[in-house]
Amino acid sequence: KALLDARRDNFVRQSLLSDEFLNFMQQNKKPFDLLMSYYECAIMEVETKFRVLNHELSLEYDNNPIESIKTRVKSYDSILKKIRRKNIPLNLRAIEDNLKDIAGVRVICSFPDDIYKLAESFLKQDDITLIERKDYIKNPKPSGYRSLHLIVQVPIFLQNEKKMVNVEVQFRTIAMDFWASLDHKMRYKKELSDEEVEILQEELYDCARQSAVLDERMQGIRDRITKKQEQETI
Ligand code: GTP
Ligand code: MG
């Protein structure tokens, strides 16, 4: 209890919660928690789809394309920050319509080609609606960030209704994910001076380029191994 209180106090302080937001949360606690539970359900649906694909592909190709899957529902703190940043009105409808990454699923693969194969199979499913696709693997961000982002809608079936829920899926290789977590660490270190950040950003950008080359080379090796296997089984 003490720990929870301390965490809540910390949360309130860190996010500089306005009275407006506190009131909103008090008045809408139940529907807000319900909305969050829909995101939890949508994450379960999407995660299961990837587990099924991984299972099928592992039988077919004798290798698991998915290294790991990470999921998260956006924290209250991050939701509030984004509402502020994007000037979104403080009501549940606006939050649901404008924040399309409250439910997040990250699919980590070993090789870039597996990312496209999985994304294609996932999007072919007739209950998945594509809302937005951003390919930062073919077109990396200026920071060097690489990943394939999809915003999709997936239905969840409740007692009396079918509800479409937005989910953001990020596909990365292990190398892309490794890079992004180090980049993330740098971004959120307040102790770093502007000059230090500038130097680290350059260094990180160079690492991103090298890691993209490494991904391609490793994939080339993998392809040669599987080709060899196929020839021997013919
Ligand atoms: P948002 O309103 O923040 O969602 O902007 P956006 O829709 O333009 O974002 P985008 O789809 O480009 O990226 C959203 C997510 O990708 C972020 O929340 C991060 O998880 C990740 N991301 C994007 N760019 C970077 C980057 O340069 N470094 C790292 N580490 N992560 C990034
Ligand atoms: Mg986004």
Side-chain angles (χ1 to χ4, degrees):
K1 175 81 170 55
L3 189 68
L4 270 179
D5 285 344
R7 277 180 60 180
R8 190 171 319 107
D9 287 351
N10 203 22
F11 167 65
V12 170
R13 230 180 314 113
Q14 276 181 2
S15 58
L16 306 164
L17 285 176
S18 62
D19 287 347
E20 192 196 5
F21 189 74
L22 280 175
N23 285 338
F24 171 77
M25 288 301 276
Q26 270 158 13
Q27 281 159 18
N28 294 278
K29 184 159 175 14
K30 268 231 169 99
F32 189 84
D33 286 349
L34 191 63
L35 180 61
M36 292 302 125
S37 78
Y38 294 159
Y39 289 116
E40 297 272 5
C41 296
I43 284 174
M44 287 192 266
E45 294 285 351
V46 171
E47 183 172 4
T48 301
K49 284 175 179 294
F50 285 112
R51 294 204 179 283
V52 169
L53 284 172
N54 194 45
H55 192 68
E56 189 206 353
L57 289 165
S58 71
L59 294 174
E60 198 173 324
Y61 296 103
D62 191 25
N63 98 45
N64 296 321
I66 299 179
E67 193 63 36
S68 63
I69 301 177
K70 299 174 192 169
T71 66
R72 66 105 179 88
V73 174
K74 215 176 181 67
S75 67
Y76 287 180
D77 201 34
S78 304
I79 290 175
L80 176 62
K81 280 190 187 132
K82 197 155 176 176
I83 290 173
R84 291 243 175 95
R85 181 159 58 86
K86 299 207 157 183
N87 252 321
I88 292 161
L90 203 49
N91 69 70
L92 287 176
R93 190 61 207 263
I95 293 173
E96 199 183 338
D97 289 349
N98 291 290
L99 300 198
K100 300 212 165 73
D101 62 346
I102 294 181
V105 175
R106 190 170 288 154
V107 179
I108 318 270
C109 300
S110 295
F111 303 102
D113 275 1
D114 292 340
I115 288 176
Y116 292 104
K117 195 183 275 173
L118 280 167
E120 194 192 329
S121 304
F122 173 65
L123 290 173
K124 264 202 299 221
Q125 300 183 6
D126 63 12
D127 55 347
I128 292 292
T129 310
L130 178 65
I131 304 295
E132 184 187 289
R133 183 179 191 277
K134 288 186 188 163
D135 190 343
Y136 298 126
I137 300 174
K138 298 229 159 72
N139 306 297
K141 286 205 159 185
S143 62
Y145 178 76
R146 292 183 303 136
S147 178
L148 175 65
H149 289 189
L150 304 178
I151 308 275
V152 296
Q153 282 190 338
V154 60
I156 57 168
F157 294 88
L158 306 166
Q159 286 180 72
N160 302 313
E161 63 167 325
K162 174 172 122 176
K163 192 172 165 54
M164 298 302 283
V165 182
N166 288 315
V167 178
E168 179 175 81
V169 187
Q170 299 181 344
F171 297 87
R172 297 174 178 174
T173 61
I174 298 171
M176 294 173 198
D177 192 50
F178 181 36
W179 183 93
S181 46
L182 189 56
D183 178 69
H184 189 266
K185 246 180 218 140
M186 180 209 55
R187 278 167 202 276
Y188 288 89
K189 271 279 171 288
K190 294 195 185 69
E191 296 84 4
L192 294 170
S193 69
D194 289 354
E195 300 100 271
E196 281 168 328
V197 168
E198 203 173 308
I199 291 165
L200 291 176
Q201 269 174 344
E202 260 175 52
E203 180 86 5
L204 273 164
Y205 181 76
D206 198 48
C207 287
R209 280 195 8 244
Q210 284 194 32
S211 103
V213 172
L214 190 64
D215 268 344
E216 286 306 316
R217 286 178 67 186
M218 301 274 271
Q219 183 165 285
I221 295 169
R222 195 270 305 255
D223 291 348
R224 277 153 64 190
I225 295 170
T226 47
K227 207 178 263 166
K228 195 83 191 168
Q229 278 173 340
E230 280 163 14
Q231 282 169 355
E232 272 164 21
T233 51
I234 288 169

